[in-house]
Amino acid sequence: MPSTTPLIAPSVLAADFARLGEEVRSVVRAGADWIHFDVMDNHYVPNLSIGPDVAAAIKPFCVDGEGAPVPLDVHLMIKPVDALAEQFASAGADLISFHPEASEHVDRSLQAIKAAGCRAGLVFNPATPLDVLDWTIERLDLILIMSVNPGFGGQAFLPAVLDKAREARERIAACGRDIRLQIDGGINPDNIRAAADAGVDTFVAGSAIFGQDDYASVIRCMRERLA
Ligand code: DX5
Ligand code: ZN
């Protein structure tokens, strides 16, 4: 079991884009710990979503009721990585993660993200092994295990990735650094516990939260399942 506090990171990909600021405010008030921001380029993945200007526009809404900042967690599904990563850092990203297949020079991309003042993460697709962690884990603040193939919200959770989450948890424990282990894709109150039992401590959920009328009750239900 992870020793860190579980975090819920609603994905705004499933929010109403016509009212995005209001949606972010609502989900933060409902108890979101991070705001997950999915960036798709119609090149690395077959879909197009939102860019740095939209991140900058929602940044002022990423504060809780006491005025404390709620981290903006940017998940880049883009190729190439580096130039846009820097734009997202300038737009107010707190964490930036990317897929190692999408960068020609993974270590350079990680260094650029850290140099821009952000926490850095690597993202592993369902068919991507964790080998690249051998030479990157010392730079990482986040490891994201995809539980769907990236590109679309609302897909079904792939349970085979739980074994990979377990392996990632072992690698984090072995290196001894403070690294969040995140899962993304098809997470809902019915499967969140299985992910936690595999060592995950940070849970992205899009349609399971924004698809419901009462965001607070879904987030509360998720926390109850994690307790
Ligand atoms: C998929 C994205 C996910 C996705 C989550 O490429 O990275 O963040 O939008 O949405 P749900 O929870 O609906 O699978
Ligand atoms: Zn995502």
Side-chain angles (χ1 to χ4, degrees):
M1 280 296 297
S3 54
T4 39
T5 312
L7 301 177
I8 309 286
S11 165
V12 296
L13 189 67
D16 180 352
F17 281 178
R19 304 183 298 109
L20 198 49
E22 209 179 301
E23 288 273 72
V24 172
R25 184 188 286 129
S26 300
V27 87
V28 166
R29 286 186 182 164
D33 297 300
W34 291 1
I35 294 297
H36 186 80
F37 191 96
D38 286 308
V39 183
M40 302 174 179
D41 66 350
N42 192 37
H43 171 63
Y44 178 65
V45 291
N47 197 0
L48 188 62
S49 64
I50 38 186
D53 288 348
V54 179
I58 66 162
K59 180 70 176 176
F61 296 88
C62 297
V63 282
D64 71 14
E66 275 113 48
V70 172
L72 183 58
D73 167 33
V74 173
H75 172 192
L76 297 179
M77 289 161 272
I78 62 170
K79 184 177 182 174
V81 170
D82 296 10
L84 270 174
E86 284 173 21
Q87 288 191 43
F88 277 102
S90 303
D94 296 285
L95 302 99
I96 299 178
S97 56
F98 64 94
H99 294 245
E101 304 93 329
S103 172
E104 297 290 345
H105 305 286
V106 172
D107 187 74
R108 177 180 288 151
S109 301
L110 290 171
Q111 285 193 49
I113 290 167
K114 305 283 278 198
C118 297
R119 286 184 269 167
L122 283 180
V123 191
F124 295 88
N125 286 334
T128 305
L130 295 176
D131 305 12
V132 71
L133 289 178
D134 291 348
W135 297 101
T136 55
I137 198 161
E138 295 295 331
R139 291 202 193 276
L140 295 183
D141 304 291
L142 175 81
I143 296 170
L144 169 49
I145 304 293
M146 290 305 297
S147 41
V148 297
N149 287 290
F152 302 93
Q155 302 180 78
F157 178 77
L158 299 170
V161 306
L162 292 175
D163 283 342
K164 188 157 35 174
R166 273 183 272 275
E167 186 188 327
R169 172 53 63 191
E170 284 168 13
R171 285 175 178 258
I172 291 169
C175 95
R177 296 187 61 252
D178 180 16
I179 299 172
R180 302 293 312 190
L181 180 58
Q182 187 177 49
I183 197 161
D184 183 6
I187 291 292
N188 60 47
D190 293 332
N191 58 26
I192 197 167
R193 179 78 215 188
D197 288 344
V200 172
D201 57 31
T202 305
F203 306 87
V204 176
S207 47
I209 295 174
F210 286 105
Q212 303 295 317
D213 292 335
D214 185 348
Y215 305 163
S217 82
V218 187
I219 292 174
R220 200 178 316 118
C221 179
M222 288 176 160
R223 290 199 204 285
E224 283 166 11
R225 301 282 166 92
L226 293 169

